[in-house]
Amino acid sequence: MLMDICYGGVPSKIPNNSLGIRGYDYVEFYVGSAKMVAYWHAKAMGLDIKGYAGPETGVKDRISYYLEGVQGLKIVITSALTPDNYEVSGFVTRHGDGVKRWSVEVNDVREVFSKAVKNGAIPMKQPKKYEDDMGYVEEAAIRLYDDAEIVFVNRDNYKGIFRPGFGEPVQNIQIQRQETGLKFIDHIVGNVHINEMDYWANYINSALDFETFLYFGPGDISTQYSALLSKVVRSKDDIIKNPINEPYEGARLSQIQEFTMEYKGSGIQHIAIATKDIVSTIRALRANGVEFLWVPETYYEELAKKDFGLEENIDDLRELGILCDVEGEGYLLQLFTKPIGDRPTFFYEIIQRKKGAKGFGQGNFQALFESIERDQERRGNLIPMS
Ligand code: FE2
């Protein structure tokens, strides 16, 4: 029942986990040009630019754009203004555009941070209040993977835009687009090095009092060439879900190894964003110019044979390339974008959970794996393992 209150990552303000985590808060990207990447998120993904930080707001070494979806989705896109802002410029030089941090809204930043560190988390930022005349936002951070962070944030005492340092967007441009209805973060996925999946699963479970929810072992997700292992760790009330993928041995280079090779480290592979109507969301995203992974026609021939109470029109799913996986009494509708930047690393997933489906759809996971592998081959990276 509590799952219904908090289900799907929307901050409930009524945490039902031991650390007082309310749900996902913002995700911050470090990129080469915040203005361009923010424009793409507004024009193609249909998010609204709600805030801006830069020289006009007293911030001298970086530019940040703050964007929102329709129900709690918060994205920050930041680039360095000067090369000596090495935190941002160094990240982009090494990894390309990517996710630096994801955050959870908590009741008490100091308490969560101190419990997490006591339970093995690596501290990155001590609890700190960011203040201006609109109040304050408190934050702390622990390390995640090679070069990312999980941030604990509380903004109960702040009335301004996003955080001190942010103000109204300086440009007020009208963007022609179709509305996409992207609502909130459903889950965030990391790709790690060989033998690191258990390390990071145990780290998160211990630091945040999470649990391992699903495990895809050898042979569960594979092709004739390559394979992966995956563990899903989640908060015990299911509001935060964090799958972790690791390469598994195969004849050729695993796509998880392609990611760590191109990203130059372990990091965030994709963010899944929930919608209440995936057919109209994908139709709008495609009209706005978002590119998606390709699904073979045979997928829908197999789907048509299953009788599970599909409420959508299968012709719409086929036309738009939407994946559908049956899970218990419910089913999952999903689709994955192509990598959004220059390197074949980060991408978005669009997801709609129907009739209480809570998992990750092994069939869809396999379809994603095969689809990425087709693109991996085009890039010349499906190379034999010596
Ligand atoms: Fe996913």
Side-chain angles (χ1 to χ4, degrees), residues 187 189 243 270-272 334 336 347 349 351 360 368:
H187 61 271
V189 180
H270 74 266
I271 295 172
Q334 292 166 292
F336 304 89
F347 59 89
E349 170 184 340
I351 184 168
F360 289 83
L368 167 68

Side-chain angles (χ1 to χ4, degrees), residues 38-230:
Y39 178 77
W40 183 85
H41 278 80
K43 172 79 179 171
M45 295 291 281
L47 305 184
D48 294 322
I49 297 175
K50 296 279 195 178
Y52 166 86
E56 297 87 341
T57 66
V59 177
K60 302 296 183 194
D61 67 341
R62 65 184 64 197
I63 294 282
S64 296
Y65 287 82
Y66 167 61
L67 298 98
E68 286 182 357
V70 294
Q71 189 184 328
L73 177 63
K74 298 183 178 76
I75 304 272
V76 177
I77 295 164
T78 295
S79 61
L81 269 184
T82 57
D84 55 347
N85 179 353
Y86 194 71
E87 183 194 332
V88 180
S89 65
F91 179 98
V92 175
T93 299
R94 180 175 174 192
H95 303 298
D97 293 357
V99 175
K100 174 61 183 177
R101 52 183 64 90
W102 55 265
S103 67
V104 290
E105 185 185 3
V106 300
N107 284 345
D108 186 328
V109 169
R110 281 164 198 278
E111 186 188 332
V112 174
F113 179 77
S114 114
K115 280 185 180 170
V117 172
K118 200 173 152 204
N119 288 313
I122 302 161
M124 297 300 288
K125 282 182 194 148
Q126 297 291 322
K128 183 178 172 184
K129 283 182 181 173
Y130 299 86
E131 290 187 76
D132 65 13
D133 54 8
M134 302 297 279
Y136 66 88
V137 171
E138 192 165 21
E139 284 195 357
I142 61 170
R143 181 165 157 199
L144 180 67
Y145 310 137
D146 279 349
D147 199 5
E149 294 173 358
I150 300 174
V151 175
F152 309 123
V153 59
N154 180 287
R155 54 181 85 254
D156 288 350
N157 298 294
Y158 193 63
K159 294 186 171 56
I161 296 170
F162 186 62
R163 186 178 36 196
F166 280 74
E168 297 281 344
V170 286
Q171 297 149 311
N172 189 14
I173 50 169
Q174 291 297 315
I175 294 174
Q176 298 292 319
R177 67 184 188 199
Q178 292 201 10
E179 298 304 326
T180 59
L182 295 177
K183 288 185 175 290
F184 53 82
I185 294 171
D186 182 273
H187 61 271
I188 299 178
V189 180
N191 281 352
V192 301
H193 304 284
I194 291 170
N195 290 332
E196 280 192 349
M197 178 184 70
D198 283 334
Y199 172 83
W200 287 108
N202 293 338
Y203 173 93
I204 294 170
N205 284 345
S206 171
L208 302 181
D209 193 25
F210 281 16
E211 63 187 4
T212 299
F213 167 54
L214 278 173
Y215 172 58
F216 295 104
D220 287 340
I221 309 290
S222 63
T223 67
Q224 60 174 315
Y225 297 127
S226 79
L228 61 71
L229 305 175
S230 187

Side-chain angles (χ1 to χ4, degrees), residues 192-360:
V192 301
H193 304 284
I194 291 170
N195 290 332
E196 280 192 349
M197 178 184 70
D198 283 334
Y199 172 83
W200 287 108
N202 293 338
Y203 173 93
I204 294 170
N205 284 345
S206 171
L208 302 181
D209 193 25
F210 281 16
E211 63 187 4
T212 299
F213 167 54
L214 278 173
Y215 172 58
F216 295 104
D220 287 340
I221 309 290
S222 63
T223 67
Q224 60 174 315
Y225 297 127
S226 79
L228 61 71
L229 305 175
S230 187
K231 267 187 180 172
V232 180
V233 299
R234 67 171 184 182
S235 60
K236 289 173 183 170
D237 55 4
D238 197 41
I239 54 168
I240 306 294
K241 294 181 276 291
N242 186 74
I244 304 165
N245 301 325
E246 170 182 310
Y248 188 66
E249 60 195 47
R252 300 197 182 179
L253 186 79
S254 165
Q255 63 188 244
I256 309 304
Q257 275 167 294
E258 187 199 29
F259 176 98
T260 55
M261 188 176 81
E262 298 283 352
Y263 190 75
K264 308 297 178 201
S266 60
I268 312 300
Q269 181 208 36
H270 74 266
I271 295 172
I273 305 176
T275 167
K276 291 288 182 212
D277 180 359
I278 198 166
V279 170
S280 56
T281 293
I282 299 297
R283 189 162 275 132
L285 289 167
R286 284 191 182 278
N288 290 344
V290 176
E291 287 188 291
F292 291 93
L293 290 177
W294 176 77
V295 184
E297 179 66 27
T298 50
Y299 182 90
Y300 297 97
E301 291 165 15
E302 292 303 311
L303 184 65
K305 293 176 191 165
K306 296 177 188 166
D307 180 16
F308 59 96
L310 179 70
E311 292 173 345
E312 290 70 20
N313 183 333
I314 196 166
D315 290 334
D316 285 338
L317 303 189
R318 185 188 287 112
E319 176 203 338
L320 296 165
I322 297 167
L323 300 168
C324 179
D325 211 356
V326 184
E327 182 205 272
E329 298 292 298
Y331 61 96
L332 282 172
L333 298 162
Q334 292 166 292
L335 189 50
F336 304 89
T337 73
K338 296 217 171 201
I340 68 168
D342 298 325
R343 299 191 201 181
T345 51
F346 178 84
F347 59 89
Y348 280 112
E349 170 184 340
I350 312 300
I351 184 168
Q352 184 179 8
R353 297 179 180 275
K354 300 288 299 258
K355 302 180 184 174
K358 294 184 179 66
F360 289 83

